[in-house]
Amino acid sequence: MSLISVNNLTFGYDGSINNVFENVSFNIDTDWKLGLIGRNGKGKTTFLKLLLGIYEYRGTISKSVDFDYFPFEVKNKQRMAIEIVNEIAPNVEDWEIIKEINLLNTSPEILYRKFDLLSGGEQIKILLISLFLKGNNFLLIDEPTNHLDSETRENLVEYLNKKKSFILVSHDRNFLDKVVDHIISINNTNIDIQKGNFSSWQENKDAQDNFEQTQNEKLKKDINRLEVSAKNANDWSNKIEGTRYNHSGTREMIDRGYVGHQSAKMMKKSKSIEKRIETAIEEKSNLLNNIDRNEPLKITPIESRKNPLIIADNFQIKYDDNAIFDKISFEIKNGDRIAITGKNGAGKSSILKLILGNEIKYNGNISIANDLKISYVSQSTENLKGKLKDFARENNIDESIFKAMLSKMGVSNSEFSKKIEDMSEGQKKKVLIAKSISESANIYIWDEPLNYIDILTRIQIEEAILKYKPTLIFVEHDDTFIKKVATKIINLK
């Protein structure tokens, strides 16, 4: 056993008003399998890069292990995928690489295509087999499940269960439950480490939040009661003190001892109550600081006059004149929430793009109602740029509503002045989601909306969908999200 010891760590980005970390100290046992969680922008990836020595900081980080960081940086994406694997994991044979890609139930053919021409999921798979083949350093794994289909996530679960230890950043609740034995959470005011998986951490967090809220209410009542008592004691003290004087303003010698004693007694009681008020206020100020207010999001769907909205019969997407999945038939009616599932490359996003009006080849029949108002969240954020106010104007959405939705999802006001291209991937994805839920639409089409999105925001989105019941067709690999919001599932085989 060895430790990664963090002492008085302070770090902030140049030009930033607030530090990301301020005098934080904790120890990590290198035998633990740690899940690192927290809101987008709280510093999860920053912490991993501090461990790697990429940034300068104040304080100390002591470690006796070497690290590997995932995802690996790919400098030249126009090379063949197998060349990238060989660069990351040198001294491995081609047959070993092919064996690993087969274990991910993926065709070895992708190894001999240019990396930049692969889908997001296929790129992640290439980097994953590089990780599997590379060696035995302590792993720093940053959001490995983005773009990954459910089957490959299970392959990754099997791999991580064989590893001795790692730090894993993930927002997939089901995935975390299967692979970690400790949770390190970056909270509003501290960093907390607990033994267990995500579900046990959430249960403890809910219990602590409920206790603090109950204690907070109790202290509020105590403070109000004590303030009344202090005022009464002070008034009585002043009143008794006033009886020590006659109308001429001279002291009545006969009353001095008794009245003075009573006045002092009431004054002492008043001071005692004031001290109890101060103690209660101080205790109250230490509560609720780490409670994330799960402010409700709002969606304003429009029910279409036409129903069903979409009808597909013996439908298949074609690539190069070849059908890529078995024939499917389905209807999408007002209020349906349809999850499209299947392996990476199965044609999920192509179905969404066809509904959006893109030129996609297909077999069979698909009928889409005319004049549907559609709100779309794309899988990619690479085209986002400019200021938020310009983005709102260009997309014809109300800027105040758009920014209010972003704020509720944990994007701070200080981020509003940034260019979108300078935001984190999680914040960029929130920009797309905030845009979509700020639009009134007949149907919402979301392509992997939860990539990079923190757990609390995922819960907010789930609750909004269940409350406002929009007609929704989406591609997503978060099993928990699918189970909670989908009314139907289309599985491509």
Side-chain angles (χ1 to χ4, degrees):
M1 183 193 89
S2 59
L3 294 177
I4 300 169
S5 185
V6 178
N7 292 292
N8 298 319
L9 174 65
T10 297
F11 172 79
Y13 289 102
D14 291 342
S16 178
I17 298 173
N18 300 315
N19 286 328
V20 180
F21 301 113
E22 187 78 48
N23 291 324
V24 295
S25 300
F26 54 90
N27 292 319
I28 294 172
D29 189 321
T30 55
D31 286 338
W32 291 345
K33 296 181 178 182
L34 272 158
L36 176 56
I37 63 173
R39 274 277 205 182
N40 294 129
K42 287 291 186 184
K44 300 182 296 295
T45 297
T46 299
F47 175 64
L48 298 186
K49 292 185 176 181
L50 288 168
L51 290 179
L52 291 166
I54 293 175
Y55 301 138
E56 293 184 2
Y57 57 87
R58 296 200 306 273
T60 61
I61 298 177
S62 304
K63 54 190 183 294
S64 58
V65 291
D66 294 323
F67 298 119
D68 279 329
Y69 177 79
F70 180 92
F72 303 103
E73 182 182 6
V74 179
K75 294 180 180 178
N76 181 0
K77 296 184 178 181
Q78 294 185 334
R79 291 176 295 164
M80 282 198 304
I82 195 167
E83 294 179 82
I84 290 167
V85 177
N86 284 322
E87 181 182 60
I88 296 170
N91 304 319
V92 299
E93 302 289 337
D94 284 0
W95 68 266
E96 295 177 279
I97 298 172
I98 293 171
K99 176 185 174 184
E100 291 295 337
I101 204 72
N102 281 329
L103 289 173
L104 293 182
N105 295 308
T106 301
S107 170
E109 177 266 337
I110 72 167
L111 292 166
Y112 304 98
R113 287 161 54 193
K114 289 184 178 180
F115 186 82
D116 62 343
L117 297 180
L118 301 178
S119 70
E122 290 169 333
Q123 289 183 1
I124 293 292
K125 287 178 180 180
I126 292 299
L127 298 181
L128 279 177
I129 64 170
S130 304
L131 176 69
F132 298 165
L133 293 165
K134 189 175 188 301
N136 293 310
N137 289 337
F138 189 91
L139 300 180
L140 307 177
I141 311 171
D142 197 354
E143 301 201 47
T145 59
N146 289 327
H147 304 292
L148 282 187
D149 57 58
S150 298
E151 191 170 325
T152 307
R153 291 186 188 210
E154 288 304 314
N155 295 134
L156 183 54
V157 166
E158 290 178 17
Y159 171 74
L160 291 178
N161 282 335
K162 294 173 185 174
K163 294 296 292 182
K164 179 183 176 184
S165 54
F166 50 78
I167 297 176
L168 166 70
V169 176
S170 179
H171 303 301
D172 186 322
R173 292 154 284 184
N174 185 49
F175 183 73
L176 284 168
D177 276 349
K178 291 179 178 179
V179 299
V180 305
D181 55 31
H182 285 76
I183 292 288
I184 177 169
S185 57
I186 302 179
N187 305 316
N188 296 329
T189 61
N190 69 338
I191 293 178
D192 179 50
I193 298 176
Q194 291 186 24
K195 185 177 181 180
N197 59 17
F198 173 78
S199 291
S200 64
W201 174 86
Q202 185 69 65
E203 187 177 338
N204 292 336
K205 179 74 163 58
D206 290 343
Q208 179 64 28
D209 288 353
N210 289 334
F211 169 78
E212 290 195 8
Q213 287 168 338
T214 301
Q215 188 70 5
N216 184 65
E217 290 302 314
K218 177 179 178 294
L219 287 169
K220 277 167 58 177
K221 292 177 181 177
D222 286 347
I223 290 167
N224 289 336
R225 177 178 55 78
L226 289 168
E227 284 176 341
V228 171
S229 296
K231 182 178 184 302
N232 289 340
N234 190 55
D235 289 347
W236 274 105
S237 175
N238 291 335
K239 186 175 180 180
I240 293 168
E241 183 70 15
T243 65
R244 299 175 66 185
Y245 300 90
N246 59 21
H247 295 295
S248 63
T250 60
R251 289 179 183 267
E252 295 281 356
M253 297 300 295
I254 190 171
D255 296 329
R256 182 182 299 169
Y258 173 76
V259 173
H261 172 73
Q262 289 294 101
S263 175
K265 184 178 178 181
M266 294 306 293
M267 183 63 70
K268 184 178 180 181
K269 181 178 180 181
S270 175
K271 294 296 183 185
S272 174
I273 294 172
E274 287 175 4
K275 189 171 182 180
R276 287 167 62 192
I277 292 172
E278 290 174 5
T279 301
I281 290 173
E282 184 177 354
E283 185 179 345
K284 184 177 179 298
S285 70
N286 292 325
L287 300 173
L288 309 182
N289 293 321
N290 282 324
I291 293 181
D292 283 303
R293 273 76 179 175
N294 202 359
E295 295 190 61
L297 303 176
K298 186 176 182 180
I299 308 174
T300 53
I302 306 170
E303 185 170 315
S304 174
R305 295 178 181 177
K306 299 174 182 178
N307 207 21
L309 285 64
I310 300 170
I311 303 174
D313 182 46
N314 291 321
F315 172 77
Q316 295 172 302
I317 293 289
K318 295 195 299 185
Y319 289 167
D320 298 327
D321 295 323
N322 296 313
I324 62 169
F325 54 77
D326 293 344
K327 292 178 181 179
I328 57 173
S329 299
F330 61 87
E331 289 185 346
I332 300 178
K333 298 179 180 179
N334 282 309
D336 283 343
R337 300 189 294 275
I338 312 294
I340 303 179
T341 64
K343 291 183 180 180
N344 293 128
K348 301 182 297 295
S349 294
S350 296
I351 294 176
L352 301 187
K353 289 175 181 176
L354 177 63
I355 296 171
L356 288 165
N358 292 8
E359 290 291 331
I360 304 287
K361 293 181 179 180
Y362 63 91
N363 293 328
N365 299 302
I366 185 165
S367 173
I368 303 170
N370 294 328
D371 303 322
L372 285 181
K373 187 170 183 183
I374 296 175
S375 179
Y376 176 55
V377 172
S378 67
Q379 188 179 124
S380 172
T381 62
E382 62 183 14
N383 293 323
L384 292 177
K385 59 183 180 179
K387 294 294 185 74
L388 289 174
K389 65 177 181 180
D390 298 325
F391 178 83
R393 186 182 66 252
E394 290 163 7
N395 287 278
N396 197 30
I397 54 177
D398 187 291
E399 182 184 348
S400 61
I401 294 175
F402 170 59
K403 287 184 175 179
M405 293 301 104
L406 282 173
S407 180
K408 288 182 177 185
M409 288 189 283
V411 179
S412 65
N413 291 338
S414 63
E415 299 292 314
F416 288 175
S417 59
K418 277 186 178 180
K419 291 182 177 179
I420 303 175
E421 59 265 38
D422 294 332
M423 292 180 173
S424 70
E425 283 302 314
Q427 290 165 327
K428 288 177 185 176
K429 204 73 182 189
K430 287 179 180 179
V431 168
L432 293 178
I433 293 170
K435 166 192 169 291
S436 183
I437 63 177
S438 297
E439 296 172 325
S440 296
N442 301 124
I443 185 168
Y444 294 81
I445 296 180
W446 291 358
D447 194 356
E448 298 193 28
L450 301 185
N451 285 342
Y452 306 102
I453 295 292
D454 61 75
I455 293 169
L456 186 60
T457 303
R458 292 182 185 215
I459 294 171
Q460 287 175 292
I461 295 168
E462 289 167 0
E463 291 174 347
I465 291 170
L466 294 175
K467 179 176 181 180
Y468 295 103
K469 297 178 172 56
T471 304
L472 174 67
I473 181 167
F474 66 97
V475 172
E476 184 50 57
H477 301 297
D478 183 329
D479 289 338
T480 304
F481 183 83
I482 292 171
K483 288 174 183 176
K484 287 193 174 185
V485 307
T487 58
K488 299 179 184 177
I489 296 175
I490 300 172
N491 186 26
L492 306 183
K493 298 181 180 179

